[in-house]
Amino acid sequence: MTARRPVPPLPPLSLAGRLAETLRLTLLTAGLALRDIRLDLRLTLCMALAMAAVLAPLLVLFGLKFGIVSSMRDQLRNNAQMRELRPIGQYRLDDAWFAALAARPDVAFLAPNTRYLTTSIQLRGPDGGARVEVELIPTRAGDPLFPEDIAVPIRPLDVVLSQRAAEKLRLAPGDVAGATIGRIMDEQREAVRPELTVTGVLPVAAFERDAAFVPIELLLATEDYREGYAAPLIGGEGRPLPEGPRSFASFRIYAGDIDQVEGLRDHLALLHIDTQTRLYDIRLIQRFDAGLTIIFLVVAGLGGGGYLVSLGVSQVAAMETKTRQFGLLRLVGFSSAAIGLFPLIHAVVTALAGSALAIGLYYLMEPVINNVFRNQLALDGVICRITGTHLAIAVAGSAAAALLASMAAARRAMRVPPAEGLRDQ
């Protein structure tokens, strides 16, 4: 009898070979785990329903938080007056000062203004009967109070009236309004009466007081005339204007967003300029948002934490019933890391199925909730809504939380020795 030759050992695998073998075992493990889920489908569905029962109310609660706060913030953003900062007092501001302030990224609109005593004139209607004292407000391109269908006046004697002033004067776009600008010179009353062309009427929602929005040139001419200087634009005579750069007593300014109002106010305070803002209303929304966020986090922590504990316990119990199967897989060459994928894959599938059910339930309830709030509480806008980004975060968060909850089961599966596969059961 001839002696058998010893079998030479297999050459060690290269790095690429080891990676390929690891990938093969991982895919094989994933396939086995998915088959195991299919064989025990009822348990997986029960766990998915339990996750949906926790996640769906959280989605509704977050949808209410996001929808209500977003609607309120949108209403504030759409109201340009919420972004306005009104200067208190009068100053001496030159062109360089305005250029530096306009260069700030949080300034959406900036226009110089004249002294308060020169910012009002008397307007007459077409029949000369109605007379209204209106506030002159400087405007220029980009004025946030102007709707898209109303053009900003460009010519010096063009004017856009507020709806309240237009109704009192019985004026419409295209009409001519007679203006009276008076002054006292050498104890004598004088007045000029230029004619202004109405080019538009602002709705009440944009501006409620009696006002006329005009180019800065008309305001400057009014100021010059009342200070005794010549104002050829409005037909006023007087002494020549002094030479040199001109300064302005005030200005109109709007922040780019309601969240930028506070920073812009603080900057103006550093320049020793006091302003009036609507920060109280803005901060009220911010505090409301913060309060709802805390409530959501508390509810999510309690509900989600309880579910994750139950998921982790269920995973450990399920893996305990598969001890012999894991031992057999170890005997045929599966690594501990590959065995540990079983509970992780179970958790991810459960999380995805539960998230899909929860999202479906949310979209069934969303229109009902919006109709209830709209009809019963007379609230405008969308009250409950979430975006695709929110849904993606919810799904990813659910999967990550399920993976975390299944770590104990994965560790238990990885520690199963190969000898368990030989034990009779």
Side-chain angles (χ1 to χ4, degrees):
M1 179 180 292
T2 58
R4 292 183 179 180
R5 292 183 178 181
V7 179
L10 294 175
L13 293 175
S14 63
L15 178 60
R18 290 197 299 271
L19 291 176
E21 181 65 15
T22 301
L23 179 61
R24 185 184 70 82
L25 287 177
T26 301
L27 294 176
L28 182 58
T29 303
L32 292 173
L34 292 176
R35 289 183 183 181
D36 184 63
I37 292 172
R38 187 176 62 183
L39 292 175
D40 203 1
L41 192 58
R42 286 182 298 179
L43 177 61
T44 303
L45 287 177
C46 289
M47 297 173 69
L49 285 172
M51 171 169 276
V54 174
L55 185 58
L58 292 180
L59 288 177
V60 172
L61 180 60
F62 182 81
L64 286 170
K65 169 192 173 300
F66 179 74
I68 292 174
V69 174
S70 296
S71 296
M72 296 174 71
R73 291 177 68 88
D74 288 342
Q75 290 178 5
L76 292 183
R77 285 192 172 98
N78 293 334
N79 184 358
Q81 296 177 14
M82 298 299 300
R83 299 184 282 115
E84 182 183 12
L85 294 89
R86 295 184 179 181
I88 301 173
Q90 300 190 81
Y91 309 90
R92 297 182 62 86
L93 311 173
D94 56 17
D95 292 337
W97 187 92
F98 280 98
L101 185 59
R104 287 179 57 88
D106 53 358
V107 175
F109 178 83
L110 178 64
N113 203 351
T114 55
R115 294 187 300 113
Y116 296 143
L117 295 178
T118 63
T119 56
S120 64
I121 61 173
Q122 187 182 81
L123 293 182
R124 304 184 305 277
D127 55 0
R131 296 174 182 268
V132 177
E133 193 81 14
V134 300
E135 177 184 358
L136 287 181
I137 300 178
T139 187
R140 57 170 41 166
D143 195 323
L145 295 182
F146 277 60
E148 294 182 357
D149 57 341
I150 298 180
V152 173
I154 299 176
R155 294 179 300 179
L157 296 181
D158 285 348
V159 60
V160 171
L161 297 177
S162 65
Q163 183 173 333
R164 179 174 170 178
E167 290 174 349
K168 291 180 178 179
L169 293 167
R170 300 184 181 87
L171 291 172
D175 293 340
V176 175
T180 300
I181 305 173
R183 71 179 181 185
I184 298 178
M185 286 287 293
D186 299 328
E187 299 182 356
Q188 297 293 324
R189 292 185 177 273
E190 299 178 358
V192 291
R193 293 175 173 79
E195 293 186 339
L196 309 179
T197 302
V198 179
T199 61
V201 176
L202 284 185
V204 175
F207 201 85
E208 297 181 354
R209 303 192 302 273
D210 296 334
F213 291 80
V214 299
I216 188 61
E217 291 85 357
L218 180 57
L219 269 166
L220 293 177
T222 302
E223 182 178 58
D224 293 340
Y225 177 74
R226 285 177 170 164
E227 290 183 352
Y229 297 108
L233 177 65
I234 57 177
E237 298 180 353
R239 60 184 185 274
L241 282 170
E243 297 182 358
R246 183 152 195 161
S247 63
F248 299 89
S250 188
F251 55 93
R252 289 180 63 208
I253 187 169
Y254 291 80
D257 190 81
I258 58 175
D259 294 327
Q260 297 175 329
V261 171
E262 185 171 5
L264 187 54
R265 184 205 62 174
D266 294 342
H267 175 73
L268 290 173
L270 292 176
L271 300 178
H272 306 290
I273 294 179
D274 294 329
T275 55
Q276 288 182 337
T277 66
R278 301 287 295 274
L279 268 178
Y280 176 81
D281 298 325
I282 297 172
R283 286 172 176 168
L284 184 64
I285 299 301
Q286 294 171 341
R287 289 194 296 268
F288 184 65
D289 187 13
L292 288 180
T293 300
I294 293 174
I295 294 174
F296 173 78
L297 292 177
V298 170
V299 175
L302 293 175
Y307 172 75
L308 292 179
V309 171
S310 66
L311 176 62
V313 173
S314 300
Q315 288 281 11
V316 171
M319 294 304 109
E320 288 289 344
T321 64
K322 298 178 174 61
T323 301
R324 186 168 181 271
Q325 289 88 335
F326 291 155
L328 289 173
L329 291 177
R330 292 292 306 277
L331 283 174
V332 297
F334 280 76
S335 65
S336 297
I339 300 299
L341 286 177
F342 265 81
L344 300 182
I345 293 173
H346 273 261
V348 170
V349 171
T350 300
L352 294 179
S355 298
L357 289 172
I359 292 172
L361 290 173
Y362 168 80
Y363 278 115
L364 287 176
M365 292 184 288
E366 184 187 68
V368 176
I369 294 172
N370 283 324
N371 288 332
V372 168
F373 276 92
R374 189 177 298 112
N375 297 331
Q376 301 298 327
L377 302 181
L379 294 177
D380 297 329
V382 178
I383 304 303
C384 182
R385 70 183 179 96
I386 52 179
T387 65
T389 302
H390 296 149
L391 293 178
I393 293 174
V395 173
S398 300
L403 284 173
L404 181 63
S406 64
M407 285 299 178
R411 290 183 61 188
R412 177 68 186 87
M414 293 171 65
R415 292 177 177 177
V416 174
E420 289 288 339
L422 300 176
R423 181 177 299 178
D424 293 331
Q425 295 185 359

